[in-house]
Amino acid sequence: MEISRILKWVTGGIELFLGIPIIGGLIIVGTGYLPLQIMLVVHIIALIASIYDKQKKSGNILGIITSVVAYIPVVGMFMHILTGIWLLVEAFGYQREKEI
């Protein structure tokens, strides 16, 4: 199993968790927006892994954009949900491509 696929599953799950309307917002604001900075670094690492593994990069690029834009409360929630779904679809699609 390639590291880029694992990172897509992990980052997708975390993004969906941060997109939960009240809980995700309280976690982000309560920790001084630190999760957004951590996710920015993790998405950059995942992007580098995707480039190395020659896999799709759009989900990780969207994650980087989300980490920057998510400081806006409602926009951030929708961006986290969109990015989480996008990353999980990429991870699942990657899995399907390898099986065929």
Side-chain angles (χ1 to χ4, degrees):
M1 184 178 312
E2 295 178 350
I3 192 72
S4 61
R5 179 175 159 215
I6 294 169
L7 287 171
K8 285 184 190 298
W9 282 112
V10 170
T11 55
I14 293 171
E15 289 289 348
L16 282 176
F17 179 74
L18 292 175
I20 297 173
I22 295 172
I23 298 170
L26 286 174
I27 289 171
I28 290 172
V29 173
T31 57
Y33 295 93
L34 184 63
L36 298 181
Q37 297 164 2
I38 293 170
M39 288 305 292
L40 176 64
V41 172
V42 173
H43 282 300
I44 291 171
I45 293 169
L47 177 62
I48 293 168
S50 293
I51 291 169
Y52 180 77
D53 291 339
K54 295 181 176 84
Q55 297 302 318
K56 294 180 182 177
K57 297 169 273 306
S58 58
N60 300 117
I61 294 170
L62 185 60
I64 292 169
I65 294 169
T66 298
S67 296
V68 173
V69 175
Y71 287 93
I72 305 168
V74 176
V75 174
M77 179 187 71
F78 286 114
M79 288 296 292
H80 282 301
I81 294 169
L82 175 68
T83 302
I85 292 171
W86 194 294
L87 283 164
L88 293 178
V89 167
E90 274 189 7
F92 182 74
Y94 170 74
Q95 182 179 10
R96 297 278 307 186
E97 289 173 8
K98 287 291 187 178
E99 291 176 2
I100 295 177

